[in-house]
Amino acid sequence: MQTFLRSLVDNSDPSHPIAGAIYTPDHPSFLPVLHAYIHNLRFSTPSTPKPFLILTALHHSHVQAAVSAAAAHPTTVHMRIRSGGHDYEGRSYSSSSSSSATPFFILDMCHLRSIHVDIRTQTAWVQCGATLGELFSAIAEKSPTHAFPAGVCPTVGVGGHLVGGGYGNLMRKHGLSVDNVVDARLVDARGEILDRESMGEDLFWAIRGGGPSFGVVLAYRVKLARVPDTVTVFRVERTLEENMTEVVHTWQHFAPAAHVDLFVRVLVEVVKKEEEENEKTVRAAFIGMFLGRSDRLLAMTRERFPELGLTESDCTESSWIETTPHWADFPRGTKAADVVLSRRPRSLVHLKRKSDYVQRPIDKPGLEAIWRKMVEVEVVKMAFNPYGGRMSEIAAEATPFPHRAGNLWKIQYQVNWDEGGAEAERRHVALCREMYDYMTPYVSRNPRGSFLNYKDLDLGVNGGGGGGAAAEGYGRSYFKGNFDRLVKIKAKVDPHNLFRHEQSVPTYCCNPKL
């Protein structure tokens, strides 16, 4: 790879030396740099394909050099782009065994993390190597009554989050993260830096939820959201023995239609019965946030969701920034300052994720059948996230993310395990797939929708080519009808498929719907 290394140096700006940002396998810091942002232990094994080089860009010119060097070696070198390392399938820092014959390097954005908040215009420029926690902290330093609609895990990288859509507990009032992006700076396939005006509206549309298939986004300019000085969070748990099915059944009617100031997600999991340790039950945790004080929240739930049984003691009032530990599952009373600036998760596990969309309420017999299946597979958790509100008002074509009106809630299937080895992985992944298959009658169809930020290679992989039937499969699941527009934009801005990965947007599709 010496020719690539020379190309990388030759394409760099001498005023910003690139040598100090390059790590090769013989460098003593190569493995620490590689593992610093691997957040799924499935892809941190001796057999996991490793890059031949890591470039931890220190300046935008380093990104330009990486793109230009990769373009000069299109068939012999493959580029991976990493911001926070939370890619559920590890595609931002690894490569599937089927494509491991092509050497790859990582363009790591972790050092490009500056944030400039302008309260006067209620916007912020944030580089893609910053984390959500760092963005939240920077906003809170300037104003306690401004926020940004984004995810609840503070260690997630801004770049991957926004390029895939981005959602969080403000989405019912303010939409997705990408619904609040007003400008961007991007390195295109020619190595040029473009902003919204110079890239044009098609490309600007594509990089707000279409995935990392069109260029390397350096920074996004985002619109901030106003929040009250006091908000309320809560967590209420119910087991099957505590009327959980009735509460969940009511939740699915209440949560998507509730006032936009209220977001209530449900985390369902199998647990041991308190009195009988050898017996299993199912528990649902109702985890919520209300943009206002607890007295208004309690009046609302008593009237429209009395089954929840929410009480004053369940509620915690604070500023918006102080809710971040609650959502990151830290103990009650943990301060945001102890959470938001950490760039590492509290713990690392092996994990698999999948997603679905529910468009019709599930009746009680259906819910009870789902609980029985969960007890059978045991290790699968499910998170239910309500839609409605602003999510139903924004057109499906407004951004590449199409799952808007008509969706009641989204499901995330979660499986975590500590045991290493191929057999443990095979067993846990198989159980996740089994639960997903069981849910088929209850979720969207034709196509069965999935969320791009919950990347799932079970939906198909393209083998590194420009298109094909596999791309149709995952493309329709993630983007529905928007897939066709993405393909046209891809063919125009990246005809040689430089920005490719196992589930990238292809340069052509087999069955265009337009």
Side-chain angles (χ1 to χ4, degrees):
M1 290 292 107
Q2 288 302 312
T3 56
F4 176 82
L5 189 57
R6 284 196 300 271
S7 181
L8 192 60
V9 174
D10 291 345
N11 280 286
S12 65
D13 182 349
S15 62
H16 297 282
I18 199 171
I22 296 172
Y23 297 85
T24 54
D26 58 352
H27 194 290
S29 295
F30 176 80
L31 286 178
V33 170
L34 173 63
H35 289 285
Y37 293 100
I38 292 180
H39 298 326
N40 185 348
L41 292 181
R42 287 175 62 197
F43 308 108
S44 182
T45 70
S47 62
T48 302
K50 305 293 192 298
F52 70 85
L53 180 148
I54 304 171
L55 175 64
T56 57
L58 302 172
H59 187 262
H60 63 75
S61 64
H62 296 169
V63 178
Q64 292 176 282
V67 171
S68 296
H73 299 79
T75 61
T76 58
V77 169
H78 188 189
M79 177 169 59
R80 300 282 170 166
I81 307 164
R82 181 167 74 173
S83 58
H86 278 267
D87 185 317
Y88 284 150
E89 297 282 11
R91 298 308 90 185
S92 65
Y93 51 80
S94 185
S95 177
S96 64
S97 57
S98 62
S99 61
S100 60
T102 302
F104 70 97
F105 75 98
I106 297 174
L107 172 57
D108 196 319
M109 305 290 284
C110 65
H111 294 309
L112 299 179
R113 53 202 268 201
S114 71
I115 302 168
H116 175 71
V117 178
D118 186 345
I119 293 300
R120 182 183 61 82
T121 61
Q122 299 187 90
T123 62
W125 273 105
V126 53
Q127 287 189 312
C128 286
T131 64
L132 296 182
E134 289 167 343
L135 175 59
F136 297 160
S137 178
I139 295 169
E141 285 179 5
K142 293 295 183 73
S143 169
T145 56
H146 285 82
F148 179 66
V152 300
C153 179
T155 61
V156 166
V158 167
H161 192 65
L162 269 65
V163 82
Y167 87 99
N169 50 33
L170 293 175
M171 71 175 179
R172 299 192 63 253
K173 186 165 188 174
H174 297 286
L176 301 177
S177 300
V178 292
D179 297 326
N180 297 274
V181 170
V182 296
D183 204 346
R185 298 180 72 235
L186 167 122
V187 177
D188 72 0
R190 300 166 298 177
E192 297 181 3
I193 295 179
L194 308 176
D195 61 9
R196 178 175 183 173
E197 181 178 2
S198 56
M199 76 176 70
E201 288 303 302
D202 274 349
L203 182 51
F204 181 64
W205 177 85
I207 64 172
R208 290 178 294 141
S213 299
F214 307 93
V216 183
V217 182
L218 296 171
Y220 284 102
R221 189 185 186 204
V222 299
K223 179 175 60 177
L224 306 184
R226 294 299 298 265
V227 292
D229 55 8
T230 300
V231 303
T232 304
V233 293
F234 62 88
R235 181 186 180 105
V236 174
E237 296 181 350
R238 296 286 183 269
T239 65
L240 289 177
E241 296 73 28
E242 298 168 319
N243 209 28
M244 177 192 119
T245 300
E246 180 69 31
V247 184
V248 173
H249 185 262
T250 303
W251 168 88
Q252 67 181 332
H253 294 274
F254 167 78
H259 193 284
V260 294
D261 284 343
L262 179 60
F263 177 88
V264 186
R265 78 170 4 159
V266 183
L267 179 62
V268 187
E269 61 184 320
V270 176
V271 297
K272 293 180 180 179
K273 288 185 178 180
E274 288 188 4
E275 303 299 325
E276 307 169 65
E277 285 202 4
N278 294 326
E279 295 291 325
K280 307 291 184 183
T281 188
V282 181
R283 181 180 67 198
F286 299 82
I287 308 166
M289 181 172 74
F290 178 68
L291 299 176
R293 294 186 176 276
S294 60
D295 55 349
R296 287 182 54 215
L297 168 63
L298 290 168
M300 184 184 302
T301 56
R302 285 167 184 160
E303 178 182 354
R304 298 197 53 209
F305 194 12
E307 293 85 353
L308 181 61
L310 186 67
T311 66
E312 182 69 39
S313 62
D314 298 319
C315 301
T316 301
E317 293 184 342
S318 70
S319 64
W320 179 81
I321 187 66
E322 290 299 335
T323 69
T324 51
H326 168 84
W327 288 104
D329 202 27
F330 279 81
R332 197 169 183 174
T334 302
K335 296 298 183 183
D338 298 327
V339 173
V340 293
L341 296 183
S342 172
R343 295 181 66 88
R344 293 284 288 174
R346 297 166 68 189
S347 62
L348 296 178
V349 295
H350 307 77
L351 62 88
K352 173 65 180 175
R353 300 289 187 265
K354 297 177 78 67
S355 60
D356 261 322
Y357 289 91
V358 176
Q359 298 178 329
R360 295 174 297 174
I362 303 173
D363 61 20
K364 292 180 186 177
L367 291 173
E368 290 166 349
I370 291 168
W371 311 149
R372 288 193 293 272
K373 185 64 179 179
M374 289 189 71
V375 171
E376 178 186 329
V377 300
E378 191 172 348
V379 300
V380 182
K381 300 179 183 180
M382 291 196 288
F384 303 160
N385 294 280
Y387 275 35
R390 183 68 179 135
M391 290 296 291
S392 295
E393 298 170 352
I394 299 172
E397 301 80 20
T399 68
F401 176 93
H403 311 290
R404 306 284 189 168
N407 292 286
L408 297 176
W409 37 289
K410 176 179 63 185
I411 301 174
Q412 184 192 62
Y413 304 87
Q414 309 173 358
V415 179
N416 299 338
W417 66 98
D418 295 320
E419 180 186 357
E423 174 55 29
E425 176 172 342
R426 185 206 61 76
R427 184 173 68 254
H428 285 88
V429 171
L431 289 170
C432 189
R433 291 168 177 162
E434 183 177 339
M435 191 72 224
Y436 176 83
D437 290 344
Y438 183 85
M439 293 295 293
T440 301
Y442 305 105
V443 299
S444 63
R445 63 193 70 180
N446 300 320
R448 185 172 183 172
S450 296
F451 180 36
L452 180 62
N453 276 144
Y454 296 167
K455 188 173 291 178
D456 180 7
L457 296 186
D458 294 347
L459 301 176
V461 296
N462 61 27
E472 286 282 333
Y474 64 75
R476 300 291 173 194
S477 291
Y478 291 139
F479 306 117
K480 300 176 72 172
N482 293 335
F483 179 62
D484 300 287
R485 184 179 176 189
L486 287 169
V487 171
K488 290 181 178 181
I489 295 168
K490 172 73 170 182
K492 180 180 179 181
V493 305
D494 185 20
H496 302 297
N497 204 23
L498 176 64
F499 303 107
R500 65 190 185 276
H501 53 85
E502 286 82 352
Q503 288 190 335
S504 53
V505 173
T507 55
Y508 66 90
C509 58
C510 298
N511 186 28
K513 298 292 191 292
L514 294 179

